Amino acid sequence: MVGAGTGAGRAGLGFEYDGDFDGLRERLIAAGHEAAVIEEAAVPTLHVANPDADGGAAHPPLWISAAPAGKPPESVPAS
């Protein structure tokens, strides 16, 4: 994701998931990760705390968005 802003630059990772979104959140929490579902523009997004953050804002969370209904998953070509 890219957006205009001020201050120090930073980067984050975002993914789209087409499986059981609540089940994914529960598995992450059971594994000891901080995870919360947040509605963004009517799309549920799972925010997973960066394990390297040590509470600092310099390490953004991992964003996992629910795949839109009816959209086929994208494939990655083999290298």
Side-chain angles (χ1 to χ4, degrees):
M1 296 182 179
V2 177
T6 61
R10 64 183 198 174
L13 292 175
F15 297 92
E16 194 172 85
Y17 183 72
D18 67 351
D20 177 8
F21 209 62
D22 289 324
L24 174 61
R25 181 186 56 81
E26 291 170 9
R27 288 191 307 276
L28 286 164
I29 291 171
H33 298 283
E34 293 179 37
V37 175
I38 299 170
E39 289 283 330
E40 294 183 354
V43 176
T45 302
L46 183 60
H47 289 211
V48 182
N50 184 328
D52 296 329
D54 295 327
H59 300 281
L62 172 68
W63 298 299
I64 304 171
S65 296
K71 179 182 175 192
E74 295 181 24
S75 62
V76 176
S79 45

